[in-house]
Amino acid sequence: MAKVRIYQLAKELGMSNEELLEILDSMGVEYKSHASTLEDETAAAVKELIGEQRLAEEARKAEEARKAIPHRAPVVVIMGHVDHGKTSLLDYLRKSRIAEKEAGGITQHVGAFEVKTKGGTVVFIDTPGHEAFTSIRERGAKVADIAVIVVAADDGVMPQTREAIAHAKAAGAKLIFAANKMDLPQASLEKVYQGLMKEGIVPVAYGGEAEVLPISAKTGQGVQDLLETILITAELEDLRADPNAEATGVVLESRIDKQAGVLASLLVQQGTLKVGDYVVAGEHWGKIRAMTDSEGVRRNQTGPSTAVQVLGFSEPPSAGTAFEWVPDQVAAKEITEERRLEREAREVAPEVGRPRNIADLLRQMQGSEQKEINLILRADTQGSLEAIQQILSREQSEEVKINLLLAAVGAPSESDVLLASTANGAILSFGVTPAGSVKKMAEQKGVPLQSFRIIYELIDEVRKMVRGQREPVYKEEILGQAEVRAVFKLSSGVVAGCMVTSGKITRNADIRVLRKKQEIWKGKIHSLKRLKDDVREVAQGFECGILLEGFSDFQEGDVLEASQRVEVVQE
Ligand SMILES: Nc1nc2c(ncn2[C@@H]2O[C@H](COP(=O)(O)OP(=O)(O)OP(=O)(O)O)[C@@H](O)[C@H]2O)c(=O)[nH]1
């Protein structure tokens, strides 16, 4: 390699000769002038140094830019076991907020409400429960920064408390615990502490990091402390949002009102939403005609960490969908139309790319340094659950970590599927059978769900995965057959006009051409059309045009057999 002269390197690095000479001086490199040549190693060292300096400068600028963005209020969701007091806590917070205002203030249900304290504002999502929350998360939007997990202090940690913890963690929310019903004589903070410790959560009182606040949603005792803890947690999280950015956020709720039309509650997370703006949410769009805040006040605009009810969507967007600002109606229509078409294509396409069992999950992680299997474990009894957990913890290896999202007694539920889908995890059940609806949902979402009757078979499965002993085995599955009824020679190639005589022909299938039952060619489809349209599949009884990749010598009466490779689930 030709040696580089100082002025050449300066040019390459986009700096002046003087600047580069200064750097060379600081490195102790000797030279005569800017025309002197540099050793290869010296040039490489200079480049590395400059690269590092530039990276540091970029990081500093990025941090400066971030700091210039104002803080925003934390958004909090309340979760917990049934009857532990989620609704009561929300009611208390809502009432205390109204009491601070003039009596008689009309509140408006907009999906979230603000509680203002001396230390700052906290936004609470109006609906308790983790399913809704996780389905929002599953759609890719993050709605809550903090989850308050309510645990009734007379009852202690219960199955849904565990689920709530798992869901909140999977969603990346910070957890704060509220030991509720402390007004009851049988309430025991100690019981809540013990229950949490069993889940591996160590309360501050025991030297750990988990904030556990004793409260009563009935009397209001401790609620102020809870609010303060939320604000402190939020401060540590350093939550910021740019009010000048294009508005984005999440649809919290939507419904059709007989008089007003479509009402949607939106949580603005970034930017400022204004009356007159166009927004898209999933496959729906709207022009914001009016906005009302939680106090029932008409607004012309609203900034980050606020919820408003808006008028202007022509159809209700689904709760949990992210929304975003778009410049005009043309963009709104085009984007929503594109999304609709994409969904339709997905619906007819066979599920590809989605993991179907743990081996697939692991393969997807190939390349990452430490693989982590996210598992949900369901078992018939606490005893078997603990036994499985203990053995599993020994099965982890340097490369593969087993991360138990949730270990609970009872059959896998739809909420488990949501959780697994969000966290890209798998569900293993022992001695319990998932309901048909749960299996179906798992299938739809591509969540691996496997049931076992013998503990060691379950362990064996995980062990094989962890040790990577299991190579996938495929078998061929025949999808269907089509008969060639006519041959068309077009400029694009020779198209076989076919009738699907059994099953279906899919666009991605492997094709075998059979003539008098003998295979004469094997390969892939180049295009599959019904009438003039490209389609993903054609079912029995329908005609279609098939162009193959590399075969054109069709004869009437040839049979095209479609098949696909499926992984054999090994026992
Ligand atoms: N004594 C006492 N009772 C409470 C307290 N908080 C809630 N309760 C009572 O506990 C019961 C359940 O409270 P909810 O607020 O409905 O509980 P939840 O968690 O929202 O219940 P679900 O919505 O069914 O999951 C109600 O009868 C409440 O009155 C409290 O702090 N003290």
Side-chain angles (χ1 to χ4, degrees):
M1 207 171 64
K3 290 209 168 32
V4 66
R5 292 186 188 277
I6 292 176
Y7 67 83
Q8 286 171 326
L9 184 62
K11 193 171 171 207
E12 188 185 322
L13 292 170
M15 57 202 318
S16 68
N17 292 341
E18 289 68 32
E19 279 169 330
L20 183 53
L21 291 177
E22 228 170 80
I23 288 171
L24 291 172
D25 287 341
S26 72
M27 290 171 75
V29 178
E30 288 181 9
Y31 55 86
K32 275 202 204 124
S33 77
H34 59 264
S36 307
T37 53
L38 291 174
E39 293 297 323
D40 284 349
E41 294 111 72
T42 314
V46 170
K47 280 186 193 169
E48 195 174 324
L49 184 74
I50 303 283
E52 277 167 17
Q53 281 178 354
R54 287 188 179 162
L55 275 181
E57 177 64 8
E58 271 166 33
R60 196 188 57 74
K61 278 194 186 142
E63 179 61 12
E64 222 169 61
R66 199 183 63 81
K67 289 231 165 100
I69 296 172
H71 281 105
R72 65 169 175 84
V75 178
V76 180
V77 65
I78 294 184
M79 308 205 266
H81 191 69
V82 65
D83 275 350
H84 276 198
K86 303 177 288 288
T87 310
S88 304
L89 177 57
L90 280 168
D91 285 347
Y92 182 87
L93 290 162
R94 221 183 270 121
K95 260 188 278 159
S96 64
R97 172 187 74 121
I98 300 163
E100 280 167 19
K101 308 199 172 303
E102 293 159 44
I106 306 161
T107 59
Q108 177 91 19
H109 184 80
V110 300
F113 63 90
E114 289 175 13
V115 173
K116 292 202 165 73
T117 75
K118 279 194 211 91
T121 301
V122 183
V123 178
F124 286 91
I125 300 291
D126 229 347
T127 30
H130 54 259
E131 273 92 353
F133 171 64
T134 305
S135 66
I136 289 178
R137 180 70 194 137
E138 201 222 345
R139 288 193 177 101
K142 177 176 175 176
V143 67
D145 307 299
I146 295 169
V148 170
I149 314 273
V150 177
V151 188
D154 55 340
D155 221 11
V157 169
M158 286 288 155
Q160 284 176 339
T161 316
R162 288 186 201 106
E163 287 185 14
I165 293 170
H167 281 248
K169 277 190 183 164
K174 286 276 151 196
L175 272 60
I176 295 177
F177 296 88
N180 189 32
K181 307 197 186 182
M182 287 305 291
D183 58 294
L184 292 175
Q186 67 272 32
S188 159
L189 187 57
E190 192 56 34
K191 188 172 182 175
V192 176
Y193 284 162
Q194 293 300 336
L196 290 175
M197 300 273 278
K198 270 203 194 139
E199 301 302 313
I201 293 166
V202 188
V204 172
Y206 276 51
E209 304 212 325
E211 294 283 359
V212 185
L213 284 298
I215 66 158
S216 164
K218 192 171 173 189
T219 66
Q221 164 205 341
V223 175
Q224 207 52 43
D225 290 342
L226 176 63
L227 285 169
E228 273 166 32
T229 306
I230 291 173
L231 284 165
I232 292 169
T233 308
E235 204 176 310
L236 293 175
E237 289 292 289
D238 198 26
L239 306 168
R240 294 168 191 268
D242 182 359
N244 299 319
E246 292 169 359
T248 56
V250 179
V251 177
L252 293 174
E253 299 171 355
S254 68
R255 65 191 171 91
I256 300 178
D257 180 272
K258 278 202 190 101
Q259 267 131 37
V262 176
L263 293 173
S265 296
L266 305 182
L267 173 73
V268 180
Q269 295 177 310
Q270 283 280 347
T272 299
L273 188 66
K274 303 182 194 78
V275 168
D277 279 353
Y278 284 88
V279 288
V280 293
E283 291 173 25
H284 303 298
W285 64 272
K287 180 183 181 182
I288 311 286
R289 283 194 280 122
M291 287 198 283
T292 319
D293 68 12
S294 57
E295 252 104 74
V297 178
R298 284 274 196 138
R299 302 281 292 262
N300 279 325
Q301 58 175 51
T302 194
S305 286
T306 58
V308 282
Q309 191 175 65
V310 306
L311 264 178
F313 277 92
S314 52
E315 277 176 79
S318 315
T321 316
F323 77 83
E324 64 192 298
W325 176 93
V326 290
D328 50 32
Q329 188 170 332
V330 176
K333 280 191 171 161
E334 191 170 323
I335 292 168
T336 49
E337 177 63 10
E338 255 172 38
R339 289 179 179 170
R340 193 180 59 74
L341 292 173
E342 272 167 22
R343 174 181 52 80
E344 284 173 0
R346 259 200 317 275
E347 279 170 2
V348 289
E351 280 285 356
V352 281
R354 293 281 314 205
R356 311 231 316 273
N357 61 29
I358 311 176
D360 288 332
L361 286 182
L362 279 175
R363 268 196 300 281
Q364 277 194 347
M365 289 181 247
Q366 219 105 79
S368 54
E369 250 168 41
Q370 199 201 34
K371 295 172 193 169
E372 201 177 65
I373 318 179
N374 285 329
L375 281 187
I376 291 176
L377 203 56
R378 284 286 188 173
D380 50 354
T381 63
Q382 190 61 32
S384 40
L385 201 61
E386 278 166 18
I388 296 169
Q389 266 175 283
Q390 249 185 20
I391 309 175
L392 280 187
S393 65
R394 279 188 250 125
E395 293 301 327
Q396 310 201 69
S397 67
E398 290 265 305
E399 302 84 36
V400 183
K401 189 171 163 259
I402 297 172
N403 184 22
L404 273 187
L405 296 171
L406 176 69
V409 172
S413 65
E414 292 182 6
S415 125
D416 292 356
V417 177
L418 275 180
L419 177 58
S421 167
T422 311
N424 205 14
I427 305 172
L428 297 184
S429 77
F430 168 73
V432 282
T433 317
S437 59
V438 174
K439 281 190 197 156
K440 201 166 153 209
M441 183 171 169
E443 220 165 85
Q444 277 168 356
K445 295 193 176 294
V447 168
L449 168 64
Q450 285 172 274
S451 306
F452 299 87
R453 295 252 150 235
I454 299 170
I455 286 195
Y456 277 91
E457 285 185 354
L458 186 153
I459 300 295
D460 228 35
E461 176 72 18
V462 177
R463 184 175 295 158
K464 283 178 189 156
M465 302 307 170
V466 169
R467 302 202 178 149
Q469 289 176 342
R470 175 166 288 193
E471 274 306 308
V473 175
Y474 294 98
K475 69 167 187 207
E476 195 173 44
E477 186 183 83
I478 308 288
L479 294 169
Q481 287 191 338
E483 203 180 289
V484 180
R485 298 272 164 96
V487 182
F488 306 102
K489 293 205 167 76
L490 306 180
S491 57
S492 53
V494 180
V495 174
C498 298
M499 164 63 85
V500 181
T501 49
S502 68
K504 61 182 179 183
I505 305 289
T506 62
R507 171 73 184 76
N508 299 330
D510 298 316
I511 297 289
R512 208 179 266 132
V513 180
L514 308 173
R515 185 166 297 161
K516 299 199 179 82
K517 302 207 171 128
Q518 294 292 316
E519 177 182 315
I520 56 166
W521 185 83
K522 211 168 137 184
K524 301 293 274 183
I525 293 181
H526 180 76
S527 83
L528 177 65
K529 284 189 195 284
R530 257 200 60 70
L531 303 173
K532 286 203 163 68
D533 299 329
D534 281 306
V535 288
R536 298 265 171 181
E537 66 175 58
V538 181
Q540 182 177 352
F542 289 96
E543 291 180 331
C544 58
I546 300 177
L547 184 66
L548 293 177
E549 266 175 16
F551 180 85
S552 58
D553 189 20
F554 297 108
Q555 283 181 12
E556 277 177 39
D558 284 350
V559 171
L560 269 52
E561 184 177 73
S563 62
Q564 68 180 10
R565 272 175 11 126
V566 288
E567 188 168 341
V568 180
V569 180
Q570 298 165 78
E571 293 305 326

